[in-house]
Amino acid sequence: MSTNILKLKLKRIDPVKYATVASLLTMLVLLIIFVPFMLLFSLAGLGASSGFGQGAAIFGGSVFVIILLPIIYGVMVFVITLISTSLLNFILKKTGGIEIDFEKTGLEISQIGQARIE
């Protein structure tokens, strides 16, 4: 076994922190992707008299919808991630954790987060 490999074992993940990070990331990605599509649907709804245009106006014609849907998705992702992380922690406890191999790069674990003066 190489001396440059550091073996660690994942035993637990904080469900609330992980769910918060996952939901915030989801909300940001949805805002980046969702807002332009809703604006396009809104534009299509304003200029078209077909059935598609009217449906597009319903889904994209409101700034309220553009802001509300990412928040709803964020809350749903938070709850789902909270449940799945709690289940993961239960499984990790029953199985003894997951072994993870890291490569040493000259920085000891105790030095992580400390300012380095070079």
Side-chain angles (χ1 to χ4, degrees), residues 41-82:
F41 288 157
S42 178
L43 183 62
L46 291 176
S49 61
S50 68
F52 174 74
Q54 293 167 356
I58 291 171
F59 287 112
S62 170
V63 174
F64 181 71
V65 172
I66 292 172
I67 294 172
L68 183 64
L69 286 179
I71 292 172
I72 291 170
Y73 285 136
V75 170
M76 288 180 1
V77 167
F78 180 86
V79 171
I80 291 168
T81 306
L82 186 67

Side-chain angles (χ1 to χ4, degrees), residues 1-47:
M1 179 182 217
S2 175
T3 59
N4 287 336
I5 301 295
L6 177 65
K7 287 186 113 18
L8 298 175
K9 188 179 278 193
L10 178 63
K11 299 286 274 187
R12 185 179 185 282
I13 297 174
D14 184 3
V16 175
K17 286 185 181 180
Y18 187 69
T20 302
V21 169
S23 63
L24 288 175
L25 284 172
T26 301
M27 287 172 47
L28 286 174
V29 169
L30 283 175
L31 281 173
I32 292 168
I33 294 171
F34 193 69
V35 170
F37 278 108
M38 283 292 116
L39 293 174
L40 283 173
F41 288 157
S42 178
L43 183 62
L46 291 176

